[in-house]
Amino acid sequence: MTRGGRQKDHDDGPERKCIVTGEAQPASGLIRFVIGPDNQVVPDILGRLPGRGIYVSADKAAIEKAAAKGLFSRAAKQPVQVPEGLAELVDKLLARRVVDLISLARKSGDAVTGYEKVKDWLSKEEAEVLIQASDGSERGKSKLSTPHYGNFIGWLTSEELGLAFGRQTVIHGALGAGGLTKRVVEEAQRLKGMRIGASDADRGGRGRRKG
């Protein structure tokens, strides 16, 4: 397992080449785009839209470069229209995906929120993932540590986490070893690439120090 939480094995699926970096990597670390009927570039977050896929690293700078340098047209071998604010749209769609997955995990009993409940899960080693809002108090967040060999998600806002847990805002959350946990971690890694940068997407995913 990498420090970012992704397994370095075939579970990531077949590799695809980023049209910006030229590097091949598992599709789980890339954003798939397709060309719609109106010749417009469409982000395919779930990877289910029909058409030939065009892949870009899950990184804001890479997507912005692909849009600015005409790399989508080159990859599609035809003129295409790139919507304004494409990177921001991808960020929004990925965040919504992560929020929805956490919400499903909560409804299945595989996620909890609230400092005391999260602390309890961590102490009992029931938590596999520690989730903390990016805009929460650093002093308060430092009192909880990432599970040993677990993962840390810290780039969703308190309002986004609130949506996931059915509250106005949430600072602390945890995921158990449920069926959706691995998927949450994978999608959160792509969002991390958008918000922090791909160079950091495989670092700091676990082992968050206490204090």
Side-chain angles (χ1 to χ4, degrees):
M1 178 179 288
T2 67
R3 287 183 60 85
R6 287 205 306 270
Q7 298 288 339
K8 284 188 175 181
D9 56 27
H10 298 296
D11 290 345
D12 283 327
E15 291 193 339
R16 296 289 186 266
K17 184 179 291 187
C18 171
I19 64 171
V20 176
T21 67
E23 297 178 355
Q25 61 175 297
S28 60
L30 301 162
I31 305 298
R32 182 179 189 263
F33 296 87
V34 297
I35 307 303
D38 55 356
N39 291 329
Q40 182 160 304
V41 175
V42 179
D44 181 20
I45 300 301
L46 299 181
R48 298 174 182 172
L49 294 178
R52 176 177 173 270
I54 297 174
Y55 294 85
V56 181
S57 298
D59 175 71
K60 182 180 180 181
I63 293 175
E64 290 178 339
K65 182 175 181 179
K69 300 294 184 180
L71 301 184
F72 285 110
S73 293
R74 183 185 302 176
K77 299 180 180 179
Q78 68 180 71
V80 300
Q81 298 295 320
V82 180
E84 187 176 351
L86 181 60
E88 287 72 20
L89 174 59
V90 170
D91 181 291
K92 182 178 179 180
L93 292 173
L94 279 176
R96 184 73 242 185
R97 174 64 173 158
V98 176
V99 165
D100 288 345
L101 287 170
I102 295 174
S103 179
L104 288 172
R106 172 181 62 85
K107 293 174 183 177
S108 299
D110 295 323
V112 295
T113 186
Y115 179 83
E116 292 299 333
K117 288 183 179 179
V118 172
K119 182 179 179 181
D120 183 60
W121 269 35
L122 289 169
S123 66
K124 294 179 179 178
E125 298 186 350
E126 294 179 5
E128 187 168 304
V129 181
L130 173 63
I131 308 172
Q132 293 183 311
S134 59
D135 53 344
S137 164
E138 290 301 322
R139 181 178 179 182
K141 290 191 295 184
S142 67
K143 296 178 181 179
L144 299 175
S145 297
T146 301
H148 190 52
Y149 293 119
N151 295 279
F152 174 70
I153 297 172
W155 38 96
L156 288 162
T157 67
S158 57
E159 289 189 359
E160 288 169 336
L161 286 179
L163 289 173
F165 285 99
R167 301 187 179 185
Q168 185 172 357
T169 59
V170 163
I171 302 299
H172 309 285
L175 296 174
L180 288 172
T181 295
K182 180 181 178 183
R183 194 62 185 158
V184 172
V185 171
E186 290 175 346
E187 296 293 355
Q189 280 303 121
R190 294 204 294 173
L191 181 61
K192 184 179 182 181
M194 295 298 298
R195 295 187 171 182
I196 298 178
S199 62
D200 293 320
D202 289 327
R203 297 202 301 269
R206 64 179 181 85
R208 178 179 170 86
R209 70 179 185 274
K210 181 177 181 179

